[in-house]
Amino acid sequence: MLAMIEINLLPPEYRPGDKTSLPLLLTIAVGMVVVGSITLWGLDLNRQLGKLKSEASDLQKEKASLEADVQKVKQIERKIARQRARQDTIIAISQSKVMWSLKLQQLSQIMSRFPNFWVKSMVLTKGRKNRALKLTVSATGSNLSEVARFRNALKEDPNFFYHFDKLESYDVRIVELSERMNFSEKMDFVINLPLKSVEGKKRKGR
């Protein structure tokens, strides 16, 4: 049996065109959309990556600047600590060399300006933490403003008050005297003068 060969003798412009299948066209279209989406997504990722690298570089520079500032602050803190240590040492030395004879002389000079006042007792308390000079004072009359003036004289004398931290004195007791006395009343009060404490300042600094 012989095979038949069919030959189309029509010119090309008159020949019927080949029909492309619709599923193939859809597949090609979907593929192009997918490829385009992936390309756009990749470009967006590259843009985000570049932005993150720029931000990371800026943060690194800021970190280096802050670390330099931290070092400066630490140097200042160390300098302050050294100055405080020197100050505490000077105070400790000055406390250890309090010349109480000179302190009594200074007190007597203040008392000379208040002829109606006298010190009944004087006690120096020496504790492990707190040391203080306690004065029990009396004065003739009942003028409380004179007591206030005496207290201010103690506090405002720089030589006498140098080693003391503060002056504590609150109550004044007015006592009636017998008729045989020149004055009918007198005032009794206590003055407490705590010495400056180096240990307390160290704890406060910490």
Side-chain angles (χ1 to χ4, degrees), residues 114-173:
F114 297 85
N116 295 334
F117 286 69
W118 67 94
V119 177
K120 296 174 61 177
S121 66
M122 180 184 303
V123 178
L124 177 62
T125 59
K126 294 184 178 180
R128 296 181 60 183
K129 296 182 179 180
N130 300 318
R131 294 196 304 165
L133 180 65
K134 181 179 179 181
L135 304 176
T136 303
V137 185
S138 294
T140 58
S142 58
N143 190 349
L144 297 179
S145 62
E146 283 296 297
V147 176
R149 193 167 69 89
F150 178 73
R151 293 168 177 167
N152 290 334
L154 295 178
K155 290 190 296 184
E156 294 171 0
D157 189 300
N159 295 322
F160 174 78
F161 202 71
Y162 175 77
H163 295 92
F164 300 112
D165 185 45
K166 56 185 175 179
L167 186 149
E168 299 173 339
S169 180
Y170 307 106
D171 299 329
V172 178
R173 188 167 63 96

Side-chain angles (χ1 to χ4, degrees), residues 1-186:
M1 186 176 179
L2 297 175
M4 295 180 64
I5 299 174
E6 184 179 355
I7 298 174
N8 191 350
L9 298 177
L10 292 173
E13 61 269 17
Y14 295 108
R15 295 177 185 177
D18 297 332
K19 293 183 180 180
T20 304
S21 62
L22 182 60
L24 179 60
L25 292 175
L26 292 176
T27 301
I28 295 173
V30 171
M32 293 178 64
V33 171
V34 171
V35 171
S37 300
I38 293 175
T39 302
L40 293 176
W41 180 61
L43 293 174
D44 185 62
L45 286 180
N46 288 332
R47 182 186 59 81
Q48 294 183 22
L49 179 60
K51 182 179 178 181
L52 291 175
K53 286 182 178 179
S54 178
E55 291 178 354
S57 178
D58 293 340
L59 291 175
Q60 191 67 26
K61 293 178 181 178
E62 184 178 357
K63 176 185 176 184
S65 177
L66 291 176
E67 287 178 349
D69 292 340
V70 169
Q71 292 301 323
K72 291 180 181 179
V73 171
K74 287 183 178 180
Q75 290 178 359
I76 294 174
E77 289 178 346
R78 287 193 292 267
K79 186 176 181 180
I80 293 174
R82 289 195 297 268
Q83 293 293 340
R84 285 179 177 173
R86 290 179 59 189
Q87 176 181 337
D88 292 342
T89 302
I90 292 173
I91 293 176
I93 293 174
S94 65
Q95 285 188 8
S96 64
K97 296 183 178 180
V98 174
M99 296 180 62
W100 288 106
S101 59
L102 180 60
K103 194 66 62 179
L104 293 177
Q105 181 181 354
Q106 295 164 352
L107 176 61
S108 64
Q109 291 176 354
I110 298 173
M111 297 292 299
S112 65
R113 306 202 302 267
F114 297 85
N116 295 334
F117 286 69
W118 67 94
V119 177
K120 296 174 61 177
S121 66
M122 180 184 303
V123 178
L124 177 62
T125 59
K126 294 184 178 180
R128 296 181 60 183
K129 296 182 179 180
N130 300 318
R131 294 196 304 165
L133 180 65
K134 181 179 179 181
L135 304 176
T136 303
V137 185
S138 294
T140 58
S142 58
N143 190 349
L144 297 179
S145 62
E146 283 296 297
V147 176
R149 193 167 69 89
F150 178 73
R151 293 168 177 167
N152 290 334
L154 295 178
K155 290 190 296 184
E156 294 171 0
D157 189 300
N159 295 322
F160 174 78
F161 202 71
Y162 175 77
H163 295 92
F164 300 112
D165 185 45
K166 56 185 175 179
L167 186 149
E168 299 173 339
S169 180
Y170 307 106
D171 299 329
V172 178
R173 188 167 63 96
I174 298 177
V175 182
E176 294 185 0
L177 301 176
S178 63
E179 296 181 355
R180 291 176 295 178
M181 298 290 183
N182 294 331
F183 292 88
S184 60
E185 295 173 324
K186 72 169 184 174

